[in-house]
Amino acid sequence: MTASSRERFAALVRGEQPDLGLACALISVEADPTVDPDATVNGLDDLAARLPTHGTDSDRLRAVLGEFRGSPKDYDDLRSSLLPEVLRRRHGLPILLSVVWLEVARRADIEAFGTSMPGHYVVGLGDPDGSHLVVDPFHGGRSVTVGSAPLRWTEVPTLLRILTNVKAWAAPAERVRTALWATELALLLPGHPADLRGEHGRLLARVGDYRQGAAELEAFAEVLDSLDPERAEGVRREARMARAQLN
């Protein structure tokens, strides 16, 4: 991701109501600098323009988005977390397929919201506090039953979950640079978890940026001082170990 696209992402996610589709497109620039985020957004526009004008909201969306699905093998494929690839392949993780449904619904003035089943992101159509239908984009938009009142996922927590999925995919050592950019983007989100500072420092050290990694770990230790002094000291030991690599 270029400095300008990161600045665009940061400004976007700190807005009052972030554009979820554009934010996901900007995430993809990190994995592939040739991605045109505006062209990706245009792809969502094109899907919305194809919706039939008659029928229930769920049937209208299924008519165009029913071909989007997921499978177990998608969980070990980074493309499943990148919006341009999901639009191209019609395959992805539940949360990215849900983003497609949410963004197409928004363009068609269909009330929709992100929600979740255990371990599975889905989409509610209608009023989350009233009459609504929950559909599962991972399975072509089939209707599902959620046992309790749905928890509404707003844009920033959704983006954090997407980036967390990327970091989980990037857990193997050979994917450390992917984990690094996912963490750096997550740090741009308002209200991000404080532990991300520690993760960032460790990842910087793993890619050989020992000086900056140590500085990040020391800054995280300062945050921990009043909360968990023993843990703070452990983080400072990590920082000293990183600095020792500079000798």
Side-chain angles (χ1 to χ4, degrees):
M1 182 176 275
T2 65
S4 61
S5 59
R6 281 205 180 189
E7 289 172 5
R8 190 178 180 189
F9 179 83
L12 183 68
V13 299
R14 292 167 187 167
E16 186 173 340
Q17 190 170 359
D19 184 318
L20 184 58
L22 179 56
C24 288
L26 288 167
I27 288 172
S28 299
V29 177
E30 190 72 48
D32 180 1
T34 68
V35 165
D36 180 346
D38 296 308
T40 299
V41 170
N42 290 340
L44 294 168
D45 296 338
D46 292 343
L47 289 170
R50 290 171 48 198
L51 292 189
T53 56
H54 300 291
T56 65
D57 290 342
S58 58
D59 285 343
R60 291 173 63 206
L61 289 164
R62 285 192 197 99
V64 174
L65 303 180
E67 62 187 302
F68 285 79
R69 293 178 177 270
S71 68
K73 65 182 180 182
D74 289 310
Y75 284 89
D76 194 33
D77 191 334
L78 180 60
R79 295 176 298 174
S80 301
S81 291
L82 304 176
L83 183 58
E85 288 294 324
V86 171
L87 292 175
R88 182 182 68 83
R89 298 170 61 239
R90 298 324 200 227
H91 258 262
L93 295 185
I95 194 167
L96 262 295
L97 293 168
S98 293
V99 166
V100 174
W101 275 67
L102 290 168
E103 288 298 289
V104 171
R106 179 171 67 85
R107 286 162 170 75
D109 293 323
I110 295 172
E111 188 172 9
F113 57 95
T115 187
S116 58
M117 302 168 63
H120 198 69
Y121 197 106
V122 291
V123 171
L125 302 175
D127 182 358
D129 299 316
S131 177
H132 61 268
L133 173 72
V134 178
V135 298
D136 182 0
F138 193 70
H139 292 101
R142 73 182 183 189
S143 300
V144 294
T145 300
V146 178
S148 56
L151 172 66
R152 183 169 188 161
W153 282 73
T154 55
E155 292 84 0
V156 169
T158 297
L159 291 166
L160 179 60
R161 183 161 172 173
I162 289 168
L163 292 167
T164 299
N165 287 342
V166 172
K167 289 192 297 175
W169 176 87
E174 65 271 16
R175 300 171 180 173
V176 63
R177 292 192 178 276
T178 298
L180 179 59
W181 67 248
T183 301
E184 290 177 342
L185 292 187
L187 282 166
L188 297 175
L189 298 174
H192 60 259
D195 279 1
L196 284 176
R197 295 290 299 275
E199 290 182 34
H200 188 216
R202 295 181 189 103
L203 288 167
L204 285 168
R206 285 177 63 190
V207 300
D209 190 347
Y210 301 113
R211 191 182 308 279
Q212 187 59 38
E216 277 287 272
L217 288 165
E218 288 162 352
F220 180 48
E222 289 182 13
V223 173
L224 290 174
D225 275 334
S226 61
L227 303 172
D228 190 340
E230 184 175 346
R231 187 180 175 201
E233 182 51 37
V235 172
R236 285 194 173 90
R237 284 195 296 271
E238 291 183 78
R240 290 193 291 271
M241 290 174 63
R243 288 196 184 279
Q245 300 298 316
L246 295 168
N247 296 332

